[in-house]
Amino acid sequence: MRDLVALPKAHLHVHLESTARPGRVAALAAREGVPVPGRGPFRGFREFADRNSLLRGCLRTPRDFHDLAVEFCADEAAQGTRYAEVTFTAASHGERLGDLGMPLDAVITGLREGQRAHGVVVRVLLDHSRRQSVARLERTVELALAYDEVVGVGVAGDEAFPLAPFAGVLREARAAGLRLVHHAGESAGPESVREAVELGGAERVGHGFRAVEDPSVVALLRERGVALEVCVSSNVALGLVSSAAAHPLPRLLAAGLVVTVNTDVPDVTGRALAEEYAVARAAFGLDDWDLAALAVASARASFAPDGVKAEVTRGVDRWLG
């Protein structure tokens, strides 16, 4: 069994705020006078979201956002990640702090520094809560268009709130050159995945594992080549799947879908990207060739330049020897 840290990887679904190192989380909580956010178990998505809000509220200064971004680059490089697309809730932070552009500007500055220092390529996806207004999504799109490093936008959060109100803004974002990636099929069923693809124009779906419950949705994903950003440990931690072994990832692969391996919220699961590949190896009996195929799928499903995709793929071939 080959070293999974050495496997060149693309990381497509991870929330920047949820990559904070334990020491940073503790220091921020102490500074802000709040309890250190726990790791669960959670009694539903809302409890998990409230925990995340506690941590995000501790991020206040440009230095907070900058350092988080630099450390993200260092930690990804240490996991063998060659390319990452990190998700960030820029407009929410900006509105909270009374300076719409500051958090994203600080993150971009940190990512530029971190990439130079650690040799990893990172791009940004800006997400928007389904619970928030259309106007906030418009502001998110405006922020996204201001930086070359931001490659896309998408809706996330509680799937009880429909995507339909945002469809017009999403079409405008796509026309302006942004890519679309939505969270769906995580806490809601396969119809949420269908909505993300047909109404939201999703080119990839964050999570999406519940698509397997409806053959027609599986067929839709397969026909359109929409990749799924699967996050096994996150789904278990949030109580959406009973165990890693019970996760439908093997069924998604058997159905001919494009599956990628991701961490989502590593500060909650305690698992970085190479460890997620190790989970797939142990829980599903995948061999090195299977894991290499997942790494190649992640690179090909990314929004990286063709040269970066090719570099990752060649690296995977060398890993296999």
Side-chain angles (χ1 to χ4, degrees), residues 149-312:
E149 287 89 347
V150 181
V151 293
V153 298
V155 297
D158 191 342
E159 292 175 66
F161 291 79
L163 186 150
F166 310 111
V169 178
L170 293 170
R171 285 193 296 269
E172 293 171 2
R174 189 68 187 94
L178 294 171
R179 315 301 289 267
L180 301 179
V181 181
H182 309 310
H183 289 52
E186 179 189 16
S187 58
E191 283 307 306
S192 177
V193 177
R194 184 189 303 279
E195 179 191 50
V197 174
E198 293 186 336
L199 188 61
E203 300 173 76
R204 294 198 312 257
V205 173
H207 300 286
F209 67 91
R210 293 190 62 184
V212 77
E213 299 169 12
D214 186 334
S216 69
V217 176
V218 170
L220 173 69
L221 295 173
R222 189 169 54 235
E223 290 162 8
R224 298 200 183 184
V226 176
L228 301 180
E229 303 166 350
V230 175
C231 311
V232 173
S233 296
S234 169
N235 298 155
V236 174
L238 270 64
L240 303 170
V241 178
S242 61
S243 66
H247 197 282
L249 184 150
R251 294 168 60 196
L252 297 169
L253 288 172
L257 298 181
V258 180
V259 172
T260 70
V261 173
N262 307 275
T263 64
D264 189 24
V265 286
D267 69 326
V268 170
T269 65
R271 292 196 174 112
L273 187 58
E275 294 167 311
E276 287 293 340
Y277 276 79
V279 168
R281 173 187 269 168
F284 312 124
L286 301 184
D287 62 24
D288 286 354
W289 282 262
D290 297 324
L291 297 170
L294 289 169
V296 170
S298 296
R300 291 177 175 168
S302 77
F303 302 140
D306 289 343
V308 174
K309 293 182 181 184
E311 181 183 349
V312 174

Side-chain angles (χ1 to χ4, degrees), residues 10 19 21 34 115 117 143 162 167 232 255 257 275 312 320:
T19 66
R21 296 170 175 173
V34 300
Q115 289 176 92
L143 287 169
V232 173
L257 298 181
E275 294 167 311
V312 174
L320 283 173

Side-chain angles (χ1 to χ4, degrees), residues 121-140:
V121 179
V122 181
R123 294 296 180 263
V124 180
L125 300 169
L126 299 186
D127 67 340
H128 169 79
S129 170
R130 293 168 177 261
R131 297 166 61 91
Q132 300 299 326
S133 68
V134 173
R136 178 184 281 183
L137 178 58
E138 292 172 341
R139 289 190 285 275
T140 294

